[in-house]
Each structure stands twice: as C-alpha cells, then as structure tokens.
Amino acid sequence: MLALSSLTLLVLVSASLVFGLNSGAWNALNASVEGRLVRGIPFARSCFPDTGGPVSGIFDEQQCDTVRSDYLDHFSLASTLGGYMNSQWQTCQRTGAECLLDWTDPANADADSPPRVCSQGSIPDYGIQIVTLTDVFAGLDFSKKYGIPLVIKNSGHDFKGRSSGPGTLALWMSNLRSIEQQPHFVPTGCSSRPGKSAVTVGAGVSFSDLVTFADQHNLTIPSGGDLTVGAAGGYTQGGGHSIISNVFGLGADRVLEFEVVTPRGDHVVANQCQNSDLFFALRGGGGGTFGIVMKMTTLVFPAMPINAVFAAFDPTVGNNRLEFLRFVTNQSLEIAKQGWGAYIIPTIGILMANPILTPIAANTSVAALKTFMTVNLTGTFTMTVEPNYKTFFDKYIGALVHVPVGIPLTTSSRLVPVEHFTTASRRADLVTTITTLFDAVDLSIIFATTPFLYGPDNDQTSVSPAWRNSLWHVNVANTWNFNTTVAEVSKKYSSLKVAVDPLRLLTPGSGAYQNEADVYEPDHEGEVGRPLYISPILTSVKASFWGTHYARLVEIKRKYDPEHILDCWQCVDWLGANNLRYKCYI
Ligand SMILES: Cc1cc2nc3c(=O)[nH]c(=O)nc-3n(C[C@H](O)[C@H](O)[C@H](O)COP(=O)(O)OP(=O)(O)OC[C@H]3O[C@@H](n4cnc5c(N)ncnc54)[C@H](O)[C@@H]3O)c2cc1C
Ligand SMILES: *[C@@H]1O[C@H](CO)[C@@H](O)[C@H](O)[C@H]1NC(C)=O
Ligand SMILES: *[C@@H]1O[C@H](CO)[C@@H](O)[C@H](O)[C@H]1NC(C)=O
Ligand SMILES: *[C@@H]1O[C@H](CO)[C@@H](O)[C@H](O)[C@H]1NC(C)=O
Ligand SMILES: *[C@@H]1O[C@H](CO)[C@@H](O)[C@H](O)[C@H]1NC(C)=O
Ligand SMILES: *[C@@H]1O[C@H](CO)[C@@H](O)[C@H](O)[C@H]1NC(C)=O
Ligand SMILES: *[C@@H]1O[C@H](CO)[C@@H](O)[C@H](O)[C@H]1NC(C)=O
C-alpha cells in the first residue's frame, strides 16, 4: 500500500512537470526571493475563455481589450514575462499548443473563441523577478535541487527561442535597470590608467533607456535597430550590430567588463585582467550559456553629429529592384570605406548613417547614389545632418524601419565577405543569388552593419571572425499566423533554410550572425559539432556561428558549466535537439 502510493506520487510529479511540483517547494522559493516569484502567463491569456491543460492566468474581457490593442507593441511584449517578440516561442510548436491571437487583426474573435483554447506552450511556468544576487542564487539552487530547467529572460527578442521553454523557471532580468556613467573606467584589477569613458548598465536596461541616457549625458551609445532590445543580454553577448558598427564595432567589441553569476553560483567579475576566458566567451559566444550577467560596462563616445541618408524607390516599376541591388552591391565597398553603415531594404530603398565624415565630404560621397536613386530610379533622396544619435534614431530608424514583432517569424542569416564585392563578375553572382533568395522568402533586409572599418579584433571577442572581413549580414525571414498548421509551419522553416543554401554555397567558410540565424542552421558548431541538418552541397561550410573560436568556447563552457545548468538551442556545447528541453521545437 505504501509502495503503491509513493509510486503514484512519483508518476504524478514527473507527468505534470513544474505544475505538479508540490506548492510547498514553490512557496519556499517565493519566500527566499522576498515574494518576487511570479507566474508566466501567456500574453493573450485574458482573451481565452477556454484552456487546454494547466495554464496560468485568467479570462478577463477588460484586460483582453488592452491585449488586443497592444498585441504588436514591442514595449508591452518586452515588459511581460509571457511576452515574446516572435510569438511562436510562446507556443509548443511541435504539438500546436498555443495562446495566440490573429496578428493581422488582433480583434478577430476566431482566434480566441471556443473551440480554440489557450495553452501554456513554451512560456516559463514561473519566473523570478531578479533584483538581488540572492534571487539568482535561489534560482540556481532550486533548478539543481528539483531538476527544473532554467531560462534567462530579458526582453524576449530572441529569434531562436532561447529565452523561453516548456516547464521552465525563468530568471527574469528586466528589473535591473541601473545606468551609471563612468568617465574614467578602469576594469577591476587592471592598472590601465587613466581609464576610458564608459557606462555600467544593469542586465535589464533596454536600448530605449540607454539611447535616452546618452542623449541626456552628451554621449553616443550605438544601439540595435529596435529600442526594446536589451543592451547587456543576448544582443551584446551574441555580437550586437548597429547601423554605426562599421565605425564603432559590434556590441561585443565595446564591452570592458561583465559582472556575472556563474552556473556554479560564484559571483565574479570578468574582464581582460580577471576571468579573461569567461570575458572572451561572453563577448560573442552567445547569451544564456556561460553565466547570468548582472551588469555590463561598455565603452561610450562623445555625442557627435550623424550624417543621415534615406533614399527610396518604387519596386513595382520595371527592373527597379534589380537595378537597385546591382547599384548598392557595386557601391558597398566604397561606402563602407568612407564610414557609412546601412540598412538596405530591397523593396524600399536604403537608410544610411555616417558618424565620421564632415557634412561636405558626406554629401560628396553619396552624390552617385543620389543621382542614381533620383534620376535612374525616379525615386527620392533625403540627406540631413542630425545633431546626435538619438535624433538620428528617432527620425530615421524609429520612423522608417519596422521589424514586425508580436507575430510568428523566423529568420536566417549569411555574412558576405568583402571578396564578393571586388570584381564585376563576383558582384553579378552575388546579385543573382540574393535576387532569387529574396523572391523565395517573406521578408528581407541587408544589414551593411559589419565592423569592417573598425578592424580586426585579434581574437579578443568570440564572434565568428567572418564578421571582420564581411560587408553584409544578409537577413531573411518567413512569417505565419495563429492557425497555420504544424506541417505548414515546418515548411516555413525548411523552405527558408533551403532558400539560403545557394548563398551559403556562394560564401563557403563564412558564417551567420547567430542571433539572427536559421533555427536549423547547418554546421553551426563546425567540425566538432553535431549538425542537425547536413546538406551535401555544404560540406565546405565550417563553424557557421563561431568559426575558429568554437573549440575554445567549448572548453570555457565545460569549465564554468559542466552540468549544463544553462543550455539553449544551438548554443555552445548544447545538449542537442533530442533533449526534453527542446521538445517544442519542430
Ligand atoms: C525586432 C528585433 C530587432 C532586432 N534588432 C537587432 C539589431 O539591430 N542588431 C542586433 O545585433 N540584433 C538585433 N536583434 C536580435 C537580438 O540581438 C537578439 O534577439 C538578442 O538575443 C536579444 O537579446 P535580449 O537579451 O534582449 O533578449 P532575450 O530574448 O530575453 O534573451 C536572448 C538570449 O540572451 C540570454 N540572456 C538574456 N539576458 C541575459 C543575461 N543577463 N545573462 C546571460 N544571458 C542572458 C537569454 O537566455 C537568451 O538566450 C533584433 C531582434 C528583434 C526581435
Ligand atoms: C509570491 O509571494 C508574493 C508575496 O507574498 C505573492 O504576492 C505572490 O503571488 C507569490 N507568487 C506566487 C507565484 O505564488
Ligand atoms: C557635448 O560634447 C561635445 C563633444 O565632446 C562638445 O563639443 C559639446 O560642447 C558638449 N555639449 C554639452 C552640452 O556638454
Ligand atoms: C561600379 O562602380 C564603379 C566605381 O566604383 C564604376 O566605375 C562602375 O561604372 C559601376 N558599375 C555599375 C554597373 O554601376
Ligand atoms: C551636395 O551635393 C550636391 C550634388 O550631389 C550639390 O548639389 C549640393 O550643393 C551639395 N550640398 C552641400 C551642402 O554641399
Ligand atoms: C543611370 O542612367 C544613365 C542614363 O541613362 C546611364 O548612363 C547610367 O549607366 C545609369 N546608371 C546606372 C548605375 O545604372
Ligand atoms: C485562419 O484564420 C483566418 C482568419 O480567421 C481565416 O481567414 C483563414 O482561412 C484561416 N486559415 C486556415 C488555414 O484555417
């Protein structure tokens, strides 16, 4: 009798995972974090009268009105534990269990009315709103004691689902919003006086906070293209490109120090003088892998004017798009040498920023572009000198560039090395390849945001060395909706992967930006890895995400996290696709 009941209990506990863990354990955790344990509630939970399985939160029509109006709003998503920008990461893709609205019309009741149900999907069951180091230690201990997998969640921007997971406990970093100016920062334990102009930011600081801070303190701090991306989380730890990266480097290049809790529970400082292996790994090796970053100190620059250009054309007229792609391919090396960074949108035009040329030199350097866009393509051309990065951002990126959020969307990436731009025949091959690619996908953009002028980093960071000799990070995406079938979603991923293969083949030995890469990137680890997908044409593609840095990253991972307390999809030395953590990936 006794044996039977304990067996029954065991079955219950393992079958219902986190929800089945006795509430006493959660209450004790909650007490140890001073009441900061919260439920992970699906973003659209309040719109659903019916549920499928255990799900947190309640049906609430008034709350639902707010959800419908905020459904595509990046600030609302980023400030909610259950909010994820690419909404498939709220769902269990393999089973189709989800709690999504119709993003093309969030008011469409077809999405949330019976027989449709709301499911917990991949949203963490619980999250600790991290305020103190003790909160992090408590989360680590709890995960180790009960075998509940951890995720680190910051803004929820991750394109590969690395900040959510079924049955997980989230360390939710968004509350750590301190920003401190450091006019003469010397990394702890270093003697390199007089120090550098820097800021120290908490793990939850967004670019919105930071760009505003820079404006108020007469500084330039490069940012990503969306202001709700976190400054110190996955962006910087995975690379971090900006429209002014050509001159100022990647986010990973500018870091001077991290304050970290290691998976073993040690609170350490990592910089060039101490724990320098961890410092190297956190500068490009990827978020959610090596430790829980509490603070980051990053180099900043004085405020400076930004030369800005926006030129657009009508893509439906004649051969306009092809002519445009030919022209920008032809000009890319020259404009990069002059300090321009650009977002090239094949169906719209080009947005450019240059922080180093004088206005007159900037004007001269884009004269050919202006003629081409206005005369040859009969389009528009605007050039202004913005007083600082914030005014540039608000007027150009904020107003003109909208990476869609709140929708199911998946990306793929390829870094295109400079040699593809140096002869007419190689440029022609590149244009042919990307034109076919862009026709095969839902969305496309070329980020001319590589640290090309910034120069070599002598292996100080762990991003793929392919970043250093590339001019472009080509980024494409497919999208779908709440009622797309599992089989069709699977096709969205596989067709994207296949569409990019010719560009991979054209650029052997290059790589992809791992933060914006294919969820099923071939050979993401290189020779020592376990590629999920091997295409016969791709045998010469090596180590897509980290190139020659991969072996060292694996050593560092095994030193700091031998038990895989942290693990994420296609992250360094991950547990692999068959691990239960990844049961919701298709
Ligand atoms: C709309 C949009 C625009 C974007 N624009 C750009 C861009 O211009 N340039 C660019 O380079 N990238 C861009 N990205 C990609 C972005 O860099 C990645 O999505 C990145 O992972 C976001 O990091 P996060 O911490 O904000 O998000 P999250 O999804 O919360 O976290 C991402 C990853 O980092 C880990 N992580 C978060 N915080 C910590 C921490 N404190 N310690 C350790 N690990 C942590 C998480 O576990 C997860 O693995 C964009 C993404 C979107 C959706
Ligand atoms: C944790 O405790 C706080 C304060 O007592 C309470 O408001 C909150 O609901 C608790 N969290 C959970 C998940 O029970
Ligand atoms: C801002 O910094 C620039 C460059 O260092 C300097 O020329 C300018 O005077 C500063 N402005 C203010 C308001 O401090
Ligand atoms: C490409 O650019 C070079 C100068 O950089 C120019 O001489 C040539 O005419 C251009 N070709 C096209 C097709 O635009
Ligand atoms: C910029 O260059 C154009 C030619 O492309 C010229 O007409 C214009 O006067 C220049 N403007 C400035 C401010 O130099
Ligand atoms: C722009 O049009 C002119 C006049 O037709 C032509 O000579 C020139 O080659 C075109 N430029 C490009 C880059 O196509
Ligand atoms: C998905 O829902 C939309 C809106 O309700 C509907 O128009 C469409 O036909 C549905 N598609 C499928 C595949 O069911």
Side-chain angles (χ1 to χ4, degrees), residues 444-481:
S444 35
I445 184 166
I446 298 168
F447 289 107
T449 55
T450 60
F452 180 73
L453 266 195
Y454 180 84
D457 79 339
N458 303 318
D459 296 326
Q460 293 301 299
T461 74
S462 47
V463 299
S464 168
W467 272 106
R468 309 286 164 195
N469 65 354
S470 290
L471 288 182
W472 285 358
H473 149 45
V474 172
N475 196 208
V476 290
N478 276 345
T479 65
W480 56 96
N481 206 351

Side-chain angles (χ1 to χ4, degrees), residues 238-450:
H241 65 87
S242 164
I243 197 162
I244 51 176
S245 285
N246 185 28
V247 171
F248 295 119
L250 297 172
D253 288 321
R254 296 186 299 271
V255 185
L256 300 173
E257 183 168 292
F258 287 107
E259 186 193 315
V260 195
V261 176
T262 69
R264 287 181 161 164
D266 299 317
H267 176 220
V268 302
V269 161
N271 60 36
Q272 60 183 353
C273 303
Q274 52 185 309
N275 299 305
S276 57
D277 53 357
L278 185 58
F279 187 49
F280 167 80
L282 290 169
R283 296 174 77 186
T289 308
F290 301 97
I292 299 107
V293 167
M294 302 298 289
K295 282 184 180 170
M296 167 185 85
T297 303
T298 179
L299 208 54
V300 299
F301 310 98
M304 60 189 75
I306 307 283
N307 298 291
V309 167
F310 178 66
F313 66 98
D314 182 347
T316 63
V317 172
N319 255 348
N320 265 4
R321 190 190 63 160
L322 180 61
E323 293 301 321
F324 172 72
L325 288 174
R326 281 192 181 132
F327 186 81
V328 293
T329 304
N330 189 34
Q331 296 278 308
S332 276
L333 178 55
E334 195 49 40
I335 63 175
K337 283 181 179 165
Q338 290 168 4
W340 295 96
Y343 293 169
I344 301 162
I345 306 173
T347 50
I348 297 178
I350 183 167
L351 173 62
M352 299 165 69
N354 190 316
I356 54 173
L357 290 180
T358 64
I360 290 173
N363 189 43
T364 307
S365 79
V366 294
L369 175 73
K370 180 179 178 181
T371 305
F372 176 76
M373 295 300 291
T374 54
V375 179
N376 295 59
L377 299 190
T378 62
T380 63
F381 179 96
T382 314
M383 178 165 188
T384 61
V385 182
E386 294 303 319
N388 69 28
Y389 182 73
K390 185 174 190 310
T391 56
F392 163 75
F393 193 100
D394 293 346
K395 185 161 162 186
Y396 288 92
I397 300 185
L400 301 169
V401 180
H402 295 287
V403 181
V405 299
I407 83 175
L409 178 151
T410 194
T411 58
S412 193
S413 152
R414 195 71 187 165
L415 295 166
V416 183
V418 63
E419 72 227 33
H420 295 278
F421 298 84
T422 50
T423 70
S425 85
R426 299 198 83 165
R427 287 195 297 266
D429 288 346
L430 179 57
V431 169
T432 305
T433 307
I434 58 174
T435 306
T436 312
L437 168 58
F438 296 160
D439 283 340
V441 299
D442 294 340
L443 297 168
S444 35
I445 184 166
I446 298 168
F447 289 107
T449 55
T450 60

Side-chain angles (χ1 to χ4, degrees), residues 112-266:
D112 46 78
S113 310
R116 296 196 71 87
V117 295
C118 173
S119 299
Q120 187 75 10
S122 288
I123 291 168
D125 290 334
Y126 290 88
I128 302 172
Q129 288 195 288
I130 304 293
V131 172
T132 66
L133 284 170
T134 312
D135 298 338
V136 177
F137 299 144
L140 284 169
D141 289 346
F142 189 85
S143 170
K144 289 173 193 172
K145 184 167 175 191
Y146 296 105
I148 304 288
L150 283 183
V151 292
I152 307 170
K153 200 223 171 185
N154 187 21
S155 73
H157 273 79
D158 199 72
F159 283 113
K160 299 197 299 191
R162 297 173 298 181
S163 46
S164 65
T168 55
L169 168 64
L171 304 179
W172 188 20
M173 311 308 285
S174 294
N175 269 310
L176 300 173
R177 298 191 100 97
S178 62
I179 307 179
E180 203 184 331
Q181 189 169 4
Q182 308 266 17
H184 307 287
F185 181 78
V186 178
T188 316
C190 297
S191 54
S192 48
R193 315 270 156 199
K196 291 178 172 159
S197 178
V199 293
T200 299
V201 300
V205 168
S206 67
F207 279 122
S208 173
D209 300 339
L210 206 48
V211 168
T212 299
F213 182 91
D215 183 47
Q216 290 163 351
H217 293 79
N218 203 18
L219 299 169
T220 300
I221 307 180
S223 76
D226 183 305
L227 286 182
T228 56
V229 171
Y235 173 91
T236 297
Q237 293 172 50
H241 65 87
S242 164
I243 197 162
I244 51 176
S245 285
N246 185 28
V247 171
F248 295 119
L250 297 172
D253 288 321
R254 296 186 299 271
V255 185
L256 300 173
E257 183 168 292
F258 287 107
E259 186 193 315
V260 195
V261 176
T262 69
R264 287 181 161 164
D266 299 317

Side-chain angles (χ1 to χ4, degrees), residues 5-75:
S5 58
S6 47
L7 184 72
T8 312
L9 189 67
L10 198 78
V11 169
L12 278 176
V13 167
S14 59
S16 52
L17 281 167
V18 175
F19 280 101
L21 192 65
N22 75 63
S23 59
W26 290 109
N27 289 340
L29 175 62
N30 198 10
S32 70
V33 298
E34 296 173 317
R36 288 189 288 273
L37 184 70
V38 293
R39 293 271 187 163
I41 299 171
F43 191 72
R45 171 67 186 93
S46 58
C47 298
F48 286 79
D50 288 359
T51 60
V55 53
S56 301
I58 53 166
F59 172 56
D60 177 340
E61 284 179 77
Q62 216 174 337
Q63 172 71 26
C64 174
D65 289 342
T66 310
V67 167
R68 292 193 201 281
S69 58
D70 290 350
Y71 197 65
L72 305 178
D73 175 55
H74 54 179
F75 283 102

